[in-house]
Amino acid sequence: MAALYEGYTLCGLAPAQNLSNSGIQGIEAERDSDHVVVTDSTRSVTLYKVSDQKPLNSWTVKQGQTLTCPAVYNSQSKEYVAVSDSKVIRIWKEEDILLEKAFKATVSSDVWRVHCVAGGEPVVLFHRGAVRLLDSLLSAPQQPIEEVLAQEEAIRWSTNIVTESHTFVIFTTEQKGDHFLYLQRLNPNTLQRYRLEREELGLSPLSFSASYRDKHIRLLYLYPNGHLYQSVVSVRGLVADEGAQALPLPRSLLLGLPVGEGLLEAASAQALDEAHVAVVGVPHPSAGSGNDFLCIWNTNFQTLQAGKEMAGKIYGQLWSFWNKLVIPHGKTLSVIPYECPKSSLASALGKLRQVKTDESEAPTSVPSWNNILHEEKAHPSRTVDTRKTRTNRKSQSAPSLTNYQVLELIKTAPVEGVQREVEVLLSRTDIQDLHPSVGQLASALVSRSLADPAFYTPGSLVQLVHTRCLCHSVCPDLVLLTLERKDYFLCQLCLQFFPDIPEAVTCACLKTFISMSDVDAEKVSLEPGSVSVTETLIAREREPVGLLNGFTATSAGGDRSDGLGGGHTRAPQDEQKTPPEHICPVGLHKAVLLNEVLQTAYSDSFLLPHLKDLSSQNVVLFLQYLQFLYIKYTHGAVPQMHGLRSPSLTQIMDWVCLLLDAHFTVLVMTPEAKGLLLNLHSFVKSQVQLVSELGKLEGSLQQLKEMKVKKDVGQYSIEIIELF
């Protein structure tokens, strides 16, 4: 059966004040399955990496200008294309920063959409129905554009499909209550016009989607009365429409969806494959009123196979890319992974069973149609009887609650009872769809903990985090709850396992950890592996440090005039003294927590504003700790322990740069930071000199690499190699 998995938040939304629209104009697939381009309804285009839920880049038009067409990605030229103010076509690359400095061209007629599918050339659809290839249009931007549509006829929806040999632009129009389908083929150009059958009460379609399969284009459209129709058009034998009357477009009813009370207002349907359709904004058949559901229906067997409630207002928008559904709802743009395995009647009815026996040599019991349709009552096999008996014995000896019952229990039961039932639920081997269950349980536990100061179940939350089915988007209040309850062990696990922690939450953790006293930190129980790594590192702080990466400890910390300290020696009495920068400025457990922050994913532009909230005292202390780590890493004092987490040298230097960017002016004016800044400067100077020396060797090494080795040099030879 089809399945909807636990979703996550791609970004927040800024919907219209009256919630009439989501504020999202369009979403397009980018270079691969992990990147999408989101265009808002005003001025911005943002590139997101879906797996990280992080923006990689963003571009904005000037104040007073408006993006009137969603941006698309041209995979052939590695460029983005969008339209502003209906007539200005803008083209830019990912490395471009300002759209105003990128290429732009003004055309002579208003543009409706630019379409581009992977591997295809961008095509431009104008408001009056004309179509041009982008390159052809840009060769003469002011070329006259013909009018294809009749008076009072307006485009409502459009898309682009590339077949084995042709590119098609498909769009629908409305004129005085009638709806038409246009099929424009390019090279050679042919245009075919079809008239959609009128629906009862003169209803207009809420959404369209199109797909290509078996030499046919399949149009899917949903009406407010819940009727979902499909029309099929062959791409063979298309002839030009020379003003003749539109051809009737046959249709077939795929689904009659429930509508609840009244008609649907904001809903959308998207074909996922030949047998499955995703629908959003339509009531769940068994959930009563309310249209805030995302469902997957099997059109072959007319069955609902998966459903998920979506919080907040549904705007009737739905996109599908690479087994992911993208849906704006409330103030959130969510990504919902899905799966649609090949369907059969048995699986559609939920009756497909795989029977396991204790004997490995026993044959697998395959359910027959009699068993499927009659609940295995007519001629049940001995194997099935045995399995049912074992199940009954298990349930009699160890009764357990369902996921729904545990969620209800969490609302009122004491801590001990909740922890016991959650543990039993997670230990069950027959749990159905563990992924959403974990998210629901965690959200319920966190909600009650925030509302009731006397209620807190750290053990259950740790178990849920250890399943690795949770992320910050699923349970956004969990990390802040751990800080509030001073549960730093659970906070550490969240920092380790959650890939999508926002920068504001990361800074909240940093502020809490750096402000904590070493005495309090040592009382905290933390993950043993990370404590072991940090303890080994700090235990080596008194060991003599040798030459590595081009400088000694003395040249890095004390001798600021000599970059490469290879010939520098120290007096015997100095060796007994450890320089301050070689002593860890924080306690063991505090260092462990800071290391977790260093390894958390972030975006520079989003992190910097929050770093400015740190006090100068905390910044100096954190920089001192980063300096300590830097010295240890560059001198090889960091233990290499396979499978255990520790920050990398790159992460350490990135955080040093971020802190200096956020607080440089304050640090320059702070007397205690003077020596620290000089030390950091000497580190950079030493590394620059090291790279310079290595650069001098590059040419010589290249010469050696290119030299031809003599085949016969005898048993002994002396060869002089001249290096230039």
Side-chain angles (χ1 to χ4, degrees), residues 194-210:
Y194 300 89
R195 180 192 297 272
L196 274 67
E197 293 183 31
R198 279 207 172 205
E199 186 66 0
E200 60 183 21
L201 304 177
L203 297 176
S204 297
L206 291 174
S207 74
F208 291 92
S209 71

Side-chain angles (χ1 to χ4, degrees), residues 357-364:
T357 61
D358 292 337
E359 298 81 8
S360 59
E361 67 275 10
T364 303

Side-chain angles (χ1 to χ4, degrees), residues 17 256 395 542:
Q17 292 184 353
S395 60
R542 294 190 177 276

Side-chain angles (χ1 to χ4, degrees), residues 482-502:
T482 63
L483 296 179
E484 179 185 322
R485 298 299 180 98
K486 298 182 179 181
D487 187 353
Y488 299 119
F489 175 71
L490 179 55
C491 183
Q492 182 189 17
L493 293 181
C494 293
L495 291 172
Q496 290 180 359
F497 295 151
F498 290 3
D500 59 339
I501 296 178

Side-chain angles (χ1 to χ4, degrees), residues 96-407:
D96 292 334
I97 299 175
L98 299 176
L99 286 186
E100 288 305 309
K101 295 184 178 180
F103 175 85
K104 56 184 175 181
T106 303
V107 295
S108 60
S109 184
D110 288 351
V111 174
W112 164 259
R113 286 287 188 274
V114 177
H115 290 291
C116 185
V117 296
E121 184 179 348
V123 293
V124 181
L125 173 62
F126 290 88
H127 266 276
R128 301 307 303 157
V131 176
R132 295 285 191 277
L133 290 171
L134 181 61
D135 287 347
S136 173
L137 177 63
L138 294 180
S139 65
Q142 288 299 310
Q143 62 184 272
I145 304 298
E146 71 274 11
E147 291 196 6
V148 177
L149 304 184
Q151 293 294 327
E152 300 183 9
E153 188 176 7
I155 299 177
R156 298 301 182 210
W157 168 85
S158 64
T159 191
N160 181 28
I161 288 179
V162 176
T163 67
E164 295 85 355
S165 55
H166 293 98
T167 297
F168 290 88
V169 177
I170 306 166
F171 58 97
T172 62
T173 65
E174 182 178 3
Q175 181 188 23
K176 297 180 179 179
D178 289 324
H179 294 268
F180 301 90
L181 170 70
Y182 286 79
L183 194 61
Q184 170 77 62
R185 185 179 66 185
L186 304 176
N187 296 329
N189 292 340
T190 59
L191 178 65
Q192 189 65 62
R193 185 171 183 247
Y194 300 89
R195 180 192 297 272
L196 274 67
E197 293 183 31
R198 279 207 172 205
E199 186 66 0
E200 60 183 21
L201 304 177
L203 297 176
S204 297
L206 291 174
S207 74
F208 291 92
S209 71
S211 58
Y212 175 75
R213 189 171 69 253
D214 301 330
K215 307 293 183 181
H216 290 80
I217 292 174
R218 302 170 189 273
L219 184 71
L220 201 69
Y221 42 109
L222 174 65
Y223 282 92
N225 58 4
H227 289 178
L228 183 64
Y229 293 100
Q230 177 179 263
S231 295
V232 181
V233 180
S234 173
V235 299
R236 298 176 179 174
L238 288 177
V239 295
D241 181 7
E242 301 178 352
Q245 188 176 4
L247 300 174
L249 184 65
R251 69 182 186 183
S252 58
L253 182 64
L254 279 187
L255 289 171
L257 298 170
V259 297
E261 300 176 1
L263 299 174
L264 302 176
E265 296 180 358
S268 183
Q270 184 80 33
L272 303 180
D273 59 21
E274 63 272 14
H276 296 92
V277 174
V279 183
V280 68
V282 176
H284 193 288
S286 60
S289 60
N291 300 338
D292 47 353
F293 280 89
L294 169 66
C295 299
I296 294 181
W297 288 80
N298 186 305
T299 56
N300 288 345
F301 305 117
Q302 305 285 299
T303 57
L304 175 64
Q305 297 207 327
K308 183 178 183 65
E309 187 173 8
M310 309 301 295
K313 179 179 173 61
I314 298 295
Y315 301 100
Q317 293 175 299
L318 178 63
W319 292 271
S320 175
F321 307 109
W322 295 289
N323 281 13
K324 299 182 184 71
L325 295 170
V326 185
I327 307 163
H329 58 101
K331 295 186 177 181
T332 301
L333 182 64
S334 292
V335 178
I336 313 292
Y338 71 89
E339 183 182 17
C340 291
K342 189 174 181 180
S343 57
S344 63
L345 180 57
S347 64
L349 294 174
K351 305 299 176 94
L352 186 60
R353 293 172 181 162
Q354 294 180 349
V355 180
K356 298 180 180 179
T357 61
D358 292 337
E359 298 81 8
S360 59
E361 67 275 10
T364 303
S365 173
V366 179
S368 66
W369 285 114
N370 275 337
N371 293 342
I372 291 172
L373 297 177
H374 300 289
E375 297 289 345
E376 299 181 350
K377 291 180 180 178
H379 303 285
S381 66
R382 186 189 313 173
T383 305
V384 173
D385 281 340
T386 304
R387 180 181 58 81
K388 287 184 177 180
T389 304
R390 282 203 305 268
T391 304
N392 289 338
R393 286 180 188 146
K394 179 180 178 181
S395 60
Q396 289 172 3
S397 60
S400 58
L401 303 179
T402 65
N403 182 39
Y404 176 77
Q405 290 172 325
V406 173
L407 289 173

Side-chain angles (χ1 to χ4, degrees), residues 13 21 129 131 167 171 173 250 471 488 606 615 678 715:
L13 298 179
N21 65 74
V131 176
T167 297
F171 58 97
T173 65
C471 63
Y488 299 119
F606 289 94
S615 67
L678 289 173
Q715 294 182 348

